[in-house]
Amino acid sequence: MSEPPPAAPPGVIPYVEHHTGPRRLVTIGLSAGGTPLAGYSKAMVKPNLFVDGRQYIVYWGEVTVEVPADRSVHIGVGMQDGIRGASVLLPPGSEPVVLDYHVPGMGEVSFGPRAAPPAQS
């Protein structure tokens, strides 16, 4: 009989589905540009985070979740009103991952790996 994985670090949303294998951390930056946010106030509309279909109402800023490292994981983000959704299928891997979800004042949302900062000369 295998032992359960260690508890998620403080401040990290744990992976709650049945999984006894290795885990890794995924940090998601959640931001909105423009005011108002497509007619809504950021204080009124909270982002929803989905990890393998499980929904979490989260906050703007950075959120870290624990996910399985030995298989693919589906991560999605959308607004409480059901619009502006986007998702990624994260492949297996052991390294931590950083993603960004951005809702512009107008236009399409973007969701994917965080871009490296520009090189300084």
Side-chain angles (χ1 to χ4, degrees), residues 14-121:
Y15 190 76
V16 296
E17 301 299 332
H18 178 73
H19 182 264
T20 58
R23 298 178 183 205
R24 66 176 166 167
L25 300 179
V26 177
T27 299
I28 301 126
L30 301 160
S31 65
T35 51
L37 166 65
Y40 299 106
S41 162
K42 280 176 45 175
M44 292 172 48
V45 178
K46 302 288 186 239
N48 290 316
L49 173 66
F50 298 88
V51 178
D52 283 345
R54 184 166 298 260
Q55 178 180 5
Y56 301 91
I57 298 174
V58 293
Y59 48 85
W60 295 102
E62 288 203 344
V63 176
T64 301
V65 295
E66 178 184 60
V67 301
D70 57 351
R71 66 170 180 77
S72 296
V73 176
H74 183 251
I75 298 176
V77 181
M79 298 295 101
Q80 282 180 306
D81 58 10
I83 63 171
R84 303 249 174 166
S87 67
V88 297
L89 185 60
L90 189 65
S94 59
E95 295 297 315
V97 175
V98 180
L99 303 171
D100 280 319
Y101 171 85
H102 179 72
V103 179
M106 300 297 286
E108 297 293 319
V109 300
S110 62
F111 186 42
R114 180 168 290 169
Q120 295 187 5
S121 47

